[in-house]
């Protein structure tokens, strides 16, 4: 890694710290809960990176050049802290959804005291701490520059390859190769506790491999190694998604491949399909053929009439009603499980625990109220503007990577409709890398460049 950083002019402490932190996130950050010790280790490891990134960002005037993106990050981190501010009894008792708590105190003969806005302050504090690694990775990637981003992307590829190898071991031998005790045995999940999150990583890796392929094709013989790396990543990602048998992953595989093909086509100059485009199609085709021959039946069973009923869709109306009961403030980040248990209907009671909404947007609405919805809308505006700039930009390694980052973020946003990928430290860190790549690669789009060219020297 040191030789690579020196070669690319990024031999500094922030680049190394960000790279190491991202690696730690992959190794011990692949679960969303019930693993407090491992997640705490990741959060502690993020503190040095965060400190170095903040110092470097101050020196490089990141605050003024990227104020919109940094403001969204600051607002997202501030919401759980605001929810932890103690409020006087009269104010707390008047908040929507706190009637049961007030009644319980009255029945116990206790006088209400000062209390935070969150109904689960311990979990809200943990939710804030869980944002530290993603914030550190984002700021670190933002100040290390575009050339270091290729190192982070290659680390994502390494993590995918490790998950693929670990998944093979899980399929053949079972228990010894599951890194998380809460994993469903018999399913392939790689470095994650949830197979759907491994599928998310594959969906992200595909457009990143497309960017690598496009850049390698332009470089000719100099990019031959990256060309073969890109083809290998495409094949591994397709096979791994099929192996997880994640319905959302399989459903989003087509859009991810289409976006990857467009990235390669634009990188090649929007001309006739060249080696990179044909290589992408061929690699994906071979992988799909392999899946069709060896493992198509289990995948089709997941979509067939014999598949078990999906309870999450039936429970979303209950989650929406609970969210409305706590508006406008929300119940507090991390409080979903406790809130849902208090509103769960008798028809929904079974032996399973519905500890996530399986819809990031519903869960954010319940936990953060309208303030979190506002931050989410601001993020969507930022994403739309940067993605539009990236896709209008001419071919180039930085623009190609920015287009791939926008496609990866889109895959996360789409998967979040039916899953909770951003509840894992690993995928929030990956999102942070993609956001930094997109922010740096697309902040100045074609229109901005033309305006600058018209200014007098």
């Amino acid at each position: 890694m040191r030789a690579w950083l020196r070669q690319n002019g990024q031999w500094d402490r922030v680049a190394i710290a960000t790279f190491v932190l991202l690696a730690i996130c992959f190794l011990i950050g692949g679960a969303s809960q019930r693993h407090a010790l491992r997640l705490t280790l990741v959060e502690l490891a993020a503190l040095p990176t965060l400190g170095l990134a903040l110092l470097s960002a101050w020196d490089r005037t990141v605050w003024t050049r990227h104020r919109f993106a940094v403001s969204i990050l600051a607002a997202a981190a501030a919401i759980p802290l605001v929810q932890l501010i103690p409020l006087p009894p009269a104010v707390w008792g008047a908040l929507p959804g706190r009637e049961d708590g007030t009644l319980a105190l009255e029945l116990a003969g206790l006088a209400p005291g000062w209390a935070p806005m969150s109904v689960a302050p311990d979990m809200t504090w943990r939710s804030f701490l869980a944002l530290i690694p993603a914030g550190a990775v984002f700021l670190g990637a933002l100040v290390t520059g575009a050339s270091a981003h290729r190192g982070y992307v290659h680390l994502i590829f390494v993590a995918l390859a490790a998950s693929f190898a670990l998944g093979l071991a899980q399929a053949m031998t079972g228990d010894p190769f599951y890194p998380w005790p809460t994993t469903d045995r018999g399913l392939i999940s790689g470095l994650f506790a949830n197979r759907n999150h491994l599928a998310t990583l594959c969906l992200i890796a595909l457009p990143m491999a497309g960017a690598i392929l496009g850049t390698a094709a332009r470089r000719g013989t100099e990019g031959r190694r990256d060309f073969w790396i890109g083809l290998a990543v495409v094949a591994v990602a397709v096979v791994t998604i099929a192996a997880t048998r994640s319905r959302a992953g399989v459903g989003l595989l087509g859009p991810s491949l289409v976006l990857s093909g467009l990235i390669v086509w634009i990188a090649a100059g929007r001309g006739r399909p060249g080696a990179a485009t044909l290589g992408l199609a061929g690699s994906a085709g071979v992988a799909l053929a392999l899946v069709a021959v060896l493992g198509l039946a289990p995948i089709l069973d997941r979509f067939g009439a014999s598949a078990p009923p999906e309870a999450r869709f039936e429970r979303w109306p209950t989650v929406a009603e609970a969210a409305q009961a706590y508006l406008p403030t929300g119940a507090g980040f991390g409080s979903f499980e406790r809130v849902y248990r208090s509103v769960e209907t008798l028809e929904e009671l079974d032996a399973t625990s519905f500890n996530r909404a399986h819809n990031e947007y519903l869960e954010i609405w319940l936990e953060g109220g309208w303030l979190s919805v506002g931050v989410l809308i601001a993020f969507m505006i930022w994403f739309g503007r940067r993605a539009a700039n990236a896709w209008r930009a001419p071919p180039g390694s930085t623009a190609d990577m920015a287009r791939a980052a926008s496609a990866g973020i889109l895959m996360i946003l789409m998967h979040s409709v039916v899953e909770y990928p951003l509840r894992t430290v690993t995928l929030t860190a990956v999102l942070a890398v993609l956001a930094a790549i997109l922010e740096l690669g697309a902040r100045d789009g074609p229109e901005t460049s033309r305006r600058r060219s018209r200014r007098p020297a």
Side-chain angles (χ1 to χ4, degrees):
M1 183 179 66
R2 176 178 296 188
W4 181 88
L5 289 171
R6 281 176 174 168
Q7 180 182 356
N8 289 276
Q10 294 293 331
W11 173 232
D12 58 35
R13 294 172 296 177
V14 181
I16 295 177
T18 304
F19 189 95
V20 171
L21 175 58
L22 187 59
I24 292 173
C25 289
F26 277 116
L27 288 174
I28 57 175
S32 59
Q33 57 182 357
R34 299 177 185 172
H35 302 282
L37 177 59
R38 298 192 201 184
L39 300 181
T40 300
L41 292 176
V42 180
E43 292 156 7
L44 291 173
L47 294 178
T49 305
L50 181 62
L52 291 172
L54 287 172
L55 290 174
S56 183
W58 185 269
D59 292 339
R60 303 183 190 186
T61 65
V62 169
W63 313 116
T64 55
R65 295 180 61 244
H66 306 286
R67 64 173 65 91
F68 190 21
V70 174
S71 298
I72 294 172
L73 174 63
I79 292 177
L81 294 179
V82 170
Q83 292 176 336
L84 292 172
I85 297 175
L87 302 173
V91 176
W92 185 89
L95 293 175
R98 274 68 175 183
E99 299 83 2
D100 292 341
T102 303
L103 179 61
L105 290 174
E106 292 178 356
L107 293 176
L110 299 175
W114 288 59
M117 185 187 305
S118 172
V119 300
D122 57 327
M123 299 303 296
T124 302
W125 175 245
R126 288 176 60 180
S127 297
F128 168 75
L129 295 178
L131 290 174
I132 294 177
V137 169
F138 175 74
L139 292 175
L142 202 61
V143 301
T144 50
S147 57
H149 293 166
R150 292 179 63 86
Y152 307 144
V153 170
H154 280 87
L155 180 58
I156 293 174
F157 294 163
V158 170
L160 174 61
S163 290
F164 176 72
L166 192 59
L168 290 178
Q170 291 166 354
M172 291 187 293
T173 61
D175 286 354
F177 292 96
Y178 283 103
W180 303 95
T182 56
T183 303
D184 292 331
R185 295 302 190 263
L187 301 175
I188 291 177
S189 57
L191 294 171
F192 295 89
N194 189 318
R195 58 177 171 174
N196 293 291
H197 299 157
L198 175 57
T200 306
L201 182 66
C202 295
L203 295 171
I204 294 168
L206 282 171
M208 307 308 291
I212 295 293
L213 277 171
T215 303
R218 280 200 314 273
R219 294 175 60 192
T221 56
E222 295 180 1
R224 185 174 300 170
R225 184 186 64 176
D226 285 345
F227 182 84
W228 290 109
I229 289 175
L231 292 183
V233 170
V234 170
V236 169
V238 171
V239 172
T240 304
I241 287 178
T244 63
R245 285 182 278 169
S246 167
R247 283 175 288 189
V250 173
L252 290 172
L253 176 59
S256 183
L257 285 173
V258 170
L259 289 172
S260 303
L262 287 174
I263 291 168
V264 173
W265 178 67
I266 294 173
R270 296 180 171 88
R272 294 190 343 189
T277 306
L278 296 176
L280 174 69
S283 180
V286 170
L288 289 172
L290 182 65
V291 170
V293 171
L294 300 179
L296 184 60
I299 298 173
L300 293 178
D301 290 341
R302 291 279 292 159
F303 293 90
S306 60
E310 190 54 71
R312 71 188 72 182
F313 305 134
E314 300 173 357
R315 299 184 181 189
W316 283 351
T318 304
V319 176
E321 292 178 6
Q324 291 176 353
Y326 282 91
L327 291 179
T329 60
F333 277 94
S335 65
F336 174 82
E337 188 172 6
R338 299 182 190 180
V339 170
Y340 188 81
R341 287 178 181 176
S342 67
V343 299
E344 190 174 15
T345 63
L346 292 176
E347 292 78 9
E348 296 171 348
L349 290 174
D350 54 29
T352 63
S353 174
F354 194 63
N355 53 10
R356 293 292 182 194
H358 294 269
N359 183 312
E360 287 282 10
Y361 307 102
L362 269 179
E363 194 161 342
I364 288 173
W365 186 31
L366 186 152
E367 295 181 341
W370 289 120
L371 188 58
S372 64
V373 171
V375 174
L376 181 61
I377 292 173
F379 174 82
M380 293 297 186
I381 293 172
W382 168 85
F383 173 67
R385 291 171 55 183
R386 297 296 183 265
N389 285 345
W391 284 89
R392 288 198 301 262
S397 58
T398 301
D400 295 340
M401 199 64 73
R403 279 186 283 270
S406 70
I409 294 174
L410 181 61
M411 290 298 104
I412 295 175
L413 295 177
M414 294 176 69
H415 203 179
S416 295
V417 175
V418 293
E419 267 301 329
Y420 50 96
L422 296 181
R423 302 288 165 163
T424 66
V425 172
T426 299
L427 291 179
T428 54
V430 173
L431 174 65
V433 170
L434 299 179
I437 292 174
L438 182 59
E439 172 69 12
L440 281 176
R443 189 179 67 89
D444 295 329
E447 295 180 1
T448 304
S449 299
R450 286 196 294 268
R451 286 197 300 267
R452 287 182 176 176
S453 65
R454 297 191 191 107
R455 294 175 183 173

